[in-house]
Structure formats: structure tokens, C-alpha cells
Short mmCIF file of all heavy atoms in Angstrom, two decimals:
data_model
loop_
_atom_site.label_atom_id
_atom_site.label_comp_id
_atom_site.label_asym_id
_atom_site.label_seq_id
_atom_site.Cartn_x
_atom_site.Cartn_y
_atom_site.Cartn_z
N ALA A 1436 46.73 -58.20 5.57
CA ALA A 1436 48.13 -57.77 5.65
C ALA A 1436 48.67 -57.40 4.28
O ALA A 1436 49.43 -56.44 4.13
CB ALA A 1436 48.97 -58.88 6.28
N LEU A 1437 48.28 -58.16 3.25
CA LEU A 1437 48.75 -57.86 1.89
C LEU A 1437 48.15 -56.57 1.36
O LEU A 1437 48.84 -55.78 0.70
CB LEU A 1437 48.40 -59.02 0.95
CG LEU A 1437 49.26 -60.28 1.08
CD1 LEU A 1437 48.71 -61.39 0.22
CD2 LEU A 1437 50.70 -59.98 0.70
N ALA A 1438 46.87 -56.33 1.65
CA ALA A 1438 46.24 -55.11 1.19
C ALA A 1438 46.98 -53.89 1.73
O ALA A 1438 47.18 -52.89 1.02
CB ALA A 1438 44.78 -55.08 1.62
N ALA A 1439 47.41 -53.98 2.99
CA ALA A 1439 48.15 -52.87 3.60
C ALA A 1439 49.55 -52.75 3.02
O ALA A 1439 50.03 -51.65 2.71
CB ALA A 1439 48.21 -53.06 5.11
N ALA A 1440 50.22 -53.89 2.85
CA ALA A 1440 51.62 -53.87 2.40
C ALA A 1440 51.75 -53.43 0.94
O ALA A 1440 52.74 -52.79 0.57
CB ALA A 1440 52.25 -55.24 2.60
N LEU A 1441 50.78 -53.79 0.11
CA LEU A 1441 50.88 -53.49 -1.32
C LEU A 1441 50.39 -52.09 -1.67
O LEU A 1441 50.59 -51.65 -2.80
CB LEU A 1441 50.08 -54.53 -2.12
CG LEU A 1441 50.51 -55.99 -1.97
CD1 LEU A 1441 49.63 -56.91 -2.79
CD2 LEU A 1441 51.98 -56.17 -2.35
N ALA A 1442 49.76 -51.41 -0.74
CA ALA A 1442 49.26 -50.04 -0.97
C ALA A 1442 48.38 -49.97 -2.21
O ALA A 1442 48.55 -49.10 -3.08
CB ALA A 1442 50.43 -49.06 -1.08
N LEU A 1443 47.40 -50.88 -2.28
CA LEU A 1443 46.52 -50.92 -3.44
C LEU A 1443 45.41 -49.89 -3.32
O LEU A 1443 45.08 -49.42 -2.23
CB LEU A 1443 45.90 -52.32 -3.55
CG LEU A 1443 46.87 -53.49 -3.72
CD1 LEU A 1443 46.10 -54.79 -3.79
CD2 LEU A 1443 47.73 -53.30 -4.96
N PRO A 1444 44.79 -49.53 -4.44
CA PRO A 1444 43.64 -48.62 -4.38
C PRO A 1444 42.51 -49.22 -3.56
O PRO A 1444 42.39 -50.45 -3.46
CB PRO A 1444 43.24 -48.48 -5.86
CG PRO A 1444 44.43 -48.91 -6.64
CD PRO A 1444 45.13 -49.92 -5.82
N ALA A 1445 41.67 -48.38 -2.99
CA ALA A 1445 40.57 -48.85 -2.15
C ALA A 1445 39.63 -49.76 -2.93
O ALA A 1445 39.02 -50.68 -2.36
CB ALA A 1445 39.81 -47.66 -1.58
N ALA A 1446 39.50 -49.53 -4.23
CA ALA A 1446 38.57 -50.32 -5.05
C ALA A 1446 39.16 -51.67 -5.48
O ALA A 1446 38.44 -52.53 -5.99
CB ALA A 1446 38.17 -49.53 -6.29
N ALA A 1447 40.45 -51.87 -5.29
CA ALA A 1447 41.08 -53.12 -5.73
C ALA A 1447 40.58 -54.29 -4.89
O ALA A 1447 40.38 -54.17 -3.68
CB ALA A 1447 42.60 -53.01 -5.61
N ARG A 1448 40.38 -55.41 -5.54
CA ARG A 1448 39.93 -56.62 -4.85
C ARG A 1448 41.12 -57.54 -4.61
O ARG A 1448 42.00 -57.65 -5.46
CB ARG A 1448 38.87 -57.32 -5.69
CG ARG A 1448 37.66 -56.45 -5.99
CD ARG A 1448 36.65 -57.18 -6.84
NE ARG A 1448 35.52 -56.32 -7.18
CZ ARG A 1448 34.48 -56.72 -7.90
NH1 ARG A 1448 34.42 -57.96 -8.37
NH2 ARG A 1448 33.49 -55.88 -8.16
N ILE A 1449 41.14 -58.20 -3.45
CA ILE A 1449 42.23 -59.10 -3.13
C ILE A 1449 41.68 -60.37 -2.52
O ILE A 1449 40.76 -60.33 -1.69
CB ILE A 1449 43.25 -58.43 -2.19
CG1 ILE A 1449 44.44 -59.36 -1.93
CG2 ILE A 1449 42.61 -57.99 -0.88
CD1 ILE A 1449 45.63 -58.67 -1.31
N GLN A 1450 42.19 -61.48 -2.98
CA GLN A 1450 41.74 -62.78 -2.51
C GLN A 1450 42.96 -63.64 -2.21
O GLN A 1450 43.90 -63.71 -3.02
CB GLN A 1450 40.87 -63.46 -3.58
CG GLN A 1450 40.38 -64.85 -3.20
CD GLN A 1450 39.60 -65.52 -4.32
OE1 GLN A 1450 39.85 -65.25 -5.50
NE2 GLN A 1450 38.66 -66.38 -3.98
N VAL A 1451 42.97 -64.31 -1.07
CA VAL A 1451 44.02 -65.26 -0.72
C VAL A 1451 43.40 -66.65 -0.65
O VAL A 1451 42.39 -66.85 0.03
CB VAL A 1451 44.70 -64.91 0.62
CG1 VAL A 1451 45.70 -65.99 1.02
CG2 VAL A 1451 45.41 -63.56 0.52
N VAL A 1452 43.98 -67.58 -1.36
CA VAL A 1452 43.53 -68.97 -1.37
C VAL A 1452 44.75 -69.86 -1.18
O VAL A 1452 45.89 -69.40 -1.16
CB VAL A 1452 42.81 -69.32 -2.69
CG1 VAL A 1452 41.54 -68.50 -2.85
CG2 VAL A 1452 43.74 -69.12 -3.88
N THR A 1453 44.51 -71.14 -1.03
CA THR A 1453 45.62 -72.08 -0.95
C THR A 1453 46.31 -72.21 -2.31
O THR A 1453 45.69 -72.01 -3.36
CB THR A 1453 45.15 -73.46 -0.47
OG1 THR A 1453 46.26 -74.37 -0.49
CG2 THR A 1453 44.06 -74.01 -1.36
N ASP A 1454 47.58 -72.56 -2.30
CA ASP A 1454 48.30 -72.71 -3.57
C ASP A 1454 47.73 -73.84 -4.41
O ASP A 1454 47.83 -73.83 -5.64
CB ASP A 1454 49.80 -72.92 -3.32
CG ASP A 1454 50.11 -74.08 -2.38
OD1 ASP A 1454 49.19 -74.56 -1.68
OD2 ASP A 1454 51.27 -74.51 -2.35
N ALA A 1455 47.08 -74.82 -3.77
CA ALA A 1455 46.45 -75.90 -4.54
C ALA A 1455 45.29 -75.38 -5.38
O ALA A 1455 45.03 -75.89 -6.47
CB ALA A 1455 45.97 -77.00 -3.60
N ARG A 1456 44.60 -74.36 -4.89
CA ARG A 1456 43.45 -73.81 -5.62
C ARG A 1456 43.88 -73.17 -6.93
O ARG A 1456 43.23 -73.36 -7.97
CB ARG A 1456 42.71 -72.79 -4.74
CG ARG A 1456 41.50 -72.15 -5.44
CD ARG A 1456 40.41 -73.18 -5.67
NE ARG A 1456 39.30 -72.67 -6.45
CZ ARG A 1456 39.16 -72.81 -7.77
NH1 ARG A 1456 40.10 -73.41 -8.48
NH2 ARG A 1456 38.09 -72.35 -8.37
N ILE A 1457 44.96 -72.40 -6.92
CA ILE A 1457 45.40 -71.76 -8.16
C ILE A 1457 46.03 -72.79 -9.10
O ILE A 1457 45.96 -72.65 -10.32
CB ILE A 1457 46.36 -70.59 -7.89
CG1 ILE A 1457 47.64 -71.05 -7.18
CG2 ILE A 1457 45.66 -69.49 -7.12
CD1 ILE A 1457 48.73 -70.00 -7.13
N ALA A 1458 46.65 -73.83 -8.52
CA ALA A 1458 47.19 -74.89 -9.36
C ALA A 1458 46.07 -75.60 -10.11
O ALA A 1458 46.20 -75.93 -11.30
CB ALA A 1458 47.98 -75.89 -8.52
N LEU A 1459 44.95 -75.83 -9.43
CA LEU A 1459 43.78 -76.45 -10.07
C LEU A 1459 43.24 -75.57 -11.17
O LEU A 1459 42.92 -76.04 -12.27
CB LEU A 1459 42.71 -76.72 -9.01
CG LEU A 1459 41.38 -77.26 -9.51
CD1 LEU A 1459 41.55 -78.65 -10.12
CD2 LEU A 1459 40.36 -77.31 -8.38
N ALA A 1460 43.13 -74.26 -10.88
CA ALA A 1460 42.60 -73.33 -11.89
C ALA A 1460 43.49 -73.30 -13.13
O ALA A 1460 43.00 -73.28 -14.26
CB ALA A 1460 42.48 -71.93 -11.29
N GLY A 1461 44.79 -73.29 -12.93
CA GLY A 1461 45.71 -73.27 -14.07
C GLY A 1461 45.70 -74.58 -14.83
O GLY A 1461 45.71 -74.59 -16.07
N ALA A 1462 45.66 -75.67 -14.10
CA ALA A 1462 45.76 -76.99 -14.73
C ALA A 1462 44.57 -77.30 -15.63
O ALA A 1462 44.73 -77.83 -16.73
CB ALA A 1462 45.89 -78.07 -13.66
N LEU A 1463 43.36 -76.99 -15.16
CA LEU A 1463 42.15 -77.34 -15.90
C LEU A 1463 41.40 -76.12 -16.41
O LEU A 1463 40.27 -76.24 -16.90
CB LEU A 1463 41.23 -78.19 -15.01
CG LEU A 1463 41.84 -79.52 -14.52
CD1 LEU A 1463 40.85 -80.26 -13.63
CD2 LEU A 1463 42.26 -80.39 -15.69
N GLN A 1464 42.01 -74.94 -16.32
CA GLN A 1464 41.43 -73.70 -16.84
C GLN A 1464 40.02 -73.45 -16.32
O GLN A 1464 39.13 -73.01 -17.06
CB GLN A 1464 41.45 -73.72 -18.37
CG GLN A 1464 42.86 -73.71 -18.96
CD GLN A 1464 43.60 -72.41 -18.65
OE1 GLN A 1464 43.32 -71.37 -19.23
NE2 GLN A 1464 44.54 -72.47 -17.71
N GLY A 1465 39.83 -73.73 -15.02
CA GLY A 1465 38.56 -73.45 -14.37
C GLY A 1465 37.51 -74.52 -14.51
O GLY A 1465 36.42 -74.41 -13.94
N LYS A 1466 37.79 -75.60 -15.25
CA LYS A 1466 36.81 -76.66 -15.46
C LYS A 1466 36.83 -77.65 -14.30
O LYS A 1466 37.82 -77.78 -13.59
CB LYS A 1466 37.11 -77.39 -16.77
CG LYS A 1466 37.01 -76.50 -18.00
CD LYS A 1466 37.40 -77.27 -19.26
CE LYS A 1466 37.37 -76.36 -20.48
NZ LYS A 1466 37.81 -77.08 -21.71
N PRO A 1467 35.72 -78.41 -14.10
CA PRO A 1467 35.69 -79.41 -13.03
C PRO A 1467 36.74 -80.50 -13.25
O PRO A 1467 37.09 -80.84 -14.38
CB PRO A 1467 34.28 -80.00 -13.12
CG PRO A 1467 33.47 -78.94 -13.80
CD PRO A 1467 34.42 -78.28 -14.78
N GLY A 1468 37.25 -81.04 -12.16
CA GLY A 1468 38.25 -82.08 -12.22
C GLY A 1468 39.16 -81.98 -11.01
O GLY A 1468 38.88 -81.24 -10.06
N ALA A 1469 40.26 -82.70 -11.06
CA ALA A 1469 41.16 -82.78 -9.92
C ALA A 1469 42.59 -82.47 -10.33
O ALA A 1469 42.97 -82.64 -11.49
CB ALA A 1469 41.10 -84.18 -9.29
N ILE A 1470 43.35 -82.00 -9.37
CA ILE A 1470 44.79 -81.87 -9.57
C ILE A 1470 45.48 -82.62 -8.45
O ILE A 1470 45.04 -82.58 -7.28
CB ILE A 1470 45.24 -80.40 -9.62
CG1 ILE A 1470 46.73 -80.34 -10.02
CG2 ILE A 1470 45.01 -79.68 -8.30
CD1 ILE A 1470 47.20 -78.99 -10.45
N LEU A 1471 46.53 -83.31 -8.80
CA LEU A 1471 47.36 -84.03 -7.84
C LEU A 1471 48.72 -83.38 -7.84
O LEU A 1471 49.39 -83.33 -8.87
CB LEU A 1471 47.46 -85.51 -8.25
CG LEU A 1471 48.24 -86.43 -7.32
CD1 LEU A 1471 47.62 -86.48 -5.93
CD2 LEU A 1471 48.30 -87.83 -7.92
N ILE A 1472 49.11 -82.86 -6.69
CA ILE A 1472 50.37 -82.11 -6.58
C ILE A 1472 51.32 -82.91 -5.69
O ILE A 1472 50.98 -83.28 -4.58
CB ILE A 1472 50.13 -80.72 -5.95
CG1 ILE A 1472 49.07 -79.95 -6.74
CG2 ILE A 1472 51.42 -79.93 -5.89
CD1 ILE A 1472 48.60 -78.68 -6.05
N ALA A 1473 52.52 -83.13 -6.19
CA ALA A 1473 53.55 -83.79 -5.40
C ALA A 1473 54.88 -83.10 -5.64
O ALA A 1473 55.52 -83.31 -6.67
CB ALA A 1473 53.65 -85.28 -5.75
N GLY A 1474 55.24 -82.25 -4.72
CA GLY A 1474 56.54 -81.59 -4.73
C GLY A 1474 57.20 -81.88 -3.41
O GLY A 1474 57.32 -83.04 -3.03
N THR A 1475 57.59 -80.86 -2.68
CA THR A 1475 58.08 -81.08 -1.32
C THR A 1475 56.97 -81.69 -0.48
O THR A 1475 57.21 -82.59 0.33
CB THR A 1475 58.54 -79.74 -0.70
OG1 THR A 1475 59.58 -79.20 -1.50
CG2 THR A 1475 59.05 -79.95 0.71
N GLY A 1476 55.74 -81.22 -0.65
CA GLY A 1476 54.57 -81.81 0.00
C GLY A 1476 53.64 -82.40 -1.04
O GLY A 1476 53.98 -82.51 -2.22
N SER A 1477 52.43 -82.80 -0.62
CA SER A 1477 51.48 -83.38 -1.57
C SER A 1477 50.05 -83.06 -1.15
O SER A 1477 49.76 -82.86 0.03
CB SER A 1477 51.66 -84.90 -1.67
OG SER A 1477 51.29 -85.53 -0.45
N ILE A 1478 49.17 -83.02 -2.14
CA ILE A 1478 47.74 -82.81 -1.92
C ILE A 1478 46.98 -83.16 -3.19
O ILE A 1478 47.52 -83.04 -4.30
CB ILE A 1478 47.44 -81.35 -1.50
CG1 ILE A 1478 45.98 -81.17 -1.06
CG2 ILE A 1478 47.78 -80.39 -2.64
CD1 ILE A 1478 45.66 -79.81 -0.49
N ALA A 1479 45.74 -83.61 -3.03
CA ALA A 1479 44.82 -83.75 -4.15
C ALA A 1479 43.69 -82.74 -3.92
O ALA A 1479 43.14 -82.66 -2.81
CB ALA A 1479 44.26 -85.17 -4.23
N TYR A 1480 43.37 -81.97 -4.95
CA TYR A 1480 42.41 -80.88 -4.82
C TYR A 1480 41.50 -80.90 -6.03
O TYR A 1480 41.97 -81.14 -7.16
CB TYR A 1480 43.16 -79.55 -4.74
CG TYR A 1480 42.45 -78.44 -4.02
CD1 TYR A 1480 42.38 -78.40 -2.64
CD2 TYR A 1480 41.85 -77.41 -4.74
CE1 TYR A 1480 41.74 -77.36 -1.97
CE2 TYR A 1480 41.21 -76.37 -4.09
CZ TYR A 1480 41.16 -76.35 -2.70
OH TYR A 1480 40.53 -75.33 -2.05
#
């Protein structure tokens, strides 16, 4: 749905993941480990 709505080039790559996944990537810069998120909801990833 996003690929259609954003009108991206055919060669553009698009990936949808959970918000916890990008939080983990940002928190540890791609290194192994865990993130614990507690806002309105909560999860450990």
C-alpha cells in the first residue's frame, strides 16, 4: 500500500517492520542486544 501511495520509482526498495525493530536499530546502532520500550504500550525486543 505504501509503495503505491508514495509513487516511488520501480527500483526503490521498501521495507515495513515493527516500530520496536527500528527502535532497537537506533538504540544500539545495529549491534546485538535488547531494547525495552515503555510508552503507551510496552515490549522488549
Side-chain angles (χ1 to χ4, degrees):
L1437 285 173
L1441 300 179
L1443 300 179
R1448 302 179 183 181
I1449 184 166
Q1450 178 184 30
V1451 174
V1452 296
T1453 176
D1454 55 344
R1456 179 67 186 95
I1457 61 169
L1459 175 65
L1463 300 179
Q1464 294 295 285
K1466 298 176 183 178
I1470 188 165
L1471 182 61
I1472 305 170
T1475 300
S1477 67
I1478 189 173
Y1480 206 77

